[in-house]
Amino acid sequence: MPRNEGTIDRALRVILGLVLIALVFVGPQTVWGWIGVVPLLTGLVGFCPLYRLVGINTCPTR
């Protein structure tokens, strides 16, 4: 699977995902924090399906 996320984009997604998931356990403790699984997984894999649909690519050209 080709990657379409650059290093900074991936790092920000992983951080955002972890922060949102942490909100499930501390803070407001709502189930909405589980939405953090999406940016976490896309950041770890390096591929975002929405980027593909819109035609965005933050990964530097090889």
Side-chain angles (χ1 to χ4, degrees), residues 24-38:
V24 172
F25 303 104
V26 296
Q29 297 180 344
T30 65
V31 295
W32 285 103
W34 287 113
I35 199 80
V37 170
V38 174

Side-chain angles (χ1 to χ4, degrees), residues 3-4 6 8-11 13 16-17 19-22 25 29 34-36 40 45 48 53 57 62:
R3 295 187 177 194
N4 61 2
I8 295 173
D9 190 7
R10 291 180 70 188
R13 286 172 180 265
L16 176 66
V19 167
L20 288 173
I21 292 171
F25 303 104
Q29 297 180 344
W34 287 113
I35 199 80
L40 178 64
V45 173
C48 177
L53 289 173
N57 186 354
R62 294 180 195 179

